[in-house]
Amino acid sequence: MFDRLFSLFSHDIGIDLGTANTLIWVKGKGIVIREASVVAMHKKTKKTIAIGNEAKKMVGKTPPSIITISPLKGGVIADFDATAAMISHYIGVVHEVGNVLPVAWSRPRVVIGIPSSVTEVERRAVWEAALSAGAREAFLIEEPMAAAIGENVSVFAPTGIMIVDIGGGTTEIAIISLGGIVVSKSLRIAGQEMDRAIVHYVRLRHGLIMGERTAEDVKIKIGSAFQKTENRRQKTERDKEKTEKDPSSVIRHLSSEKMAVVRGRDIETGLPKSLRLTEVEIREALAPVLAEILEAISDVLQEAPPELTNDILTHGILLTGGGSQLSGLDQLIVERTRIPVVLSEDPMTSVVRGTGKVLEDNQLLQRVKVVGGLK
Ligand code: ADP
Ligand code: MG
């Protein structure tokens, strides 16, 4: 009876607690919050200064008295207090935005998507954090499951589905069948590792020290995993057309890859320097990281029962997560695995959309939750 009363005033909330981004879904409203998973706090007092995008802006620029924390570094809860502060902050914000009763009175139901590598102890910890943040009930579901549900895949069918979610700190690879995760792997290599690879490459190759934020910008702007090739007919037609007009244009086309100018500090002089980077260089820098992701995909495929592998060969790999937006990544996976790839249309929201669907359907929630219910 009280439960029903509470639910009249509360917003049921779905949370994608990602390593790079936190997204919040409110039942009946959709996505209301998209913020970086970063918390800035005073080093000594641990007092929170900023949460989300505000805090991300401070990364790499803080004085010694302030630290910025990614609470979910590498897919594990690196800082429990910061994670709890973040959950509690957003539950509060959602209620303010909704202009309803304060959290303490309204007591929302909360579904949280967590990386599958989070340990049992940490799961309990997140669950408790949600309850202490004011949730009436808190449920945890695994991110690959949430992502698959978000992508409208029928997870209960006796068909193997492979999902690869390349986030910021982790790449979650899972094969789902009959409503459960059959094989999975959580690799601590994803988007942020790509940024670090660019930093590393530029330092070695050009003697320039650049920040990871700058590297991320470069990756998004000109990063690619695969050299684009047109199909032969398109190419011959274009070449013919161009060479007729200007015979040197074929050569020019070969060098038409994208470029970006970056600023950093010269390793020798210590002074600011700017540099022009090409798409080819970034592809070279990213290659080792992508090779590891591909290897993990192969590992999971090899561990899968043959019947499921067959299904995956037919239906393809579902690719999602912010990192999957790297240009040509789908082509690279197809080339290396010989398995078709289906790209999510909105890869950064698959998990949170999944939590939203689960909020609407209690039966589904009960079937896919890994932790949850009343205390
Ligand atoms: P998480 O679920 O771990 O929070 P997300 O799914 O939000 O991660 O993805 C964040 C990652 O996606 C970041 O590393 C970011 O740099 C990367 N990313 C975002 N857009 C692009 C893009 N266009 N190309 C390549 N990487 C991208
Ligand atoms: Mg994610």
Side-chain angles (χ1 to χ4, degrees), residues 20 71 92 110 136 150-151 165 174 189 203 230 240 247 250 253 270 276 290 299 312 317 319 327 338 346 360-361:
V110 177
R136 168 167 48 107
E151 291 296 320
D165 176 349
I189 287 175
R203 188 185 178 127
E230 300 156 273
K240 207 172 123 212
V250 177
H253 165 73
R276 196 182 287 242
L290 301 178
D299 287 350
I312 295 160
I317 298 171
L319 190 61
S327 158
R338 298 281 158 210
D346 191 2
E360 306 279 345
D361 184 342

Side-chain angles (χ1 to χ4, degrees), residues 185-204:
K185 187 165 189 150
S186 180
L187 188 72
R188 289 188 190 185
I189 287 175
Q192 285 153 7
E193 193 63 27
M194 296 181 201
D195 307 340
R196 283 192 279 270
I198 294 174
V199 171
H200 182 72
Y201 178 95
V202 170
R203 188 185 178 127
L204 277 185

Side-chain angles (χ1 to χ4, degrees), residues 258-269:
K258 290 184 224 152
M259 284 194 211
V261 175
V262 293
R263 292 199 186 87
R265 181 155 46 90
D266 188 302
I267 210 165
E268 273 175 17
T269 65

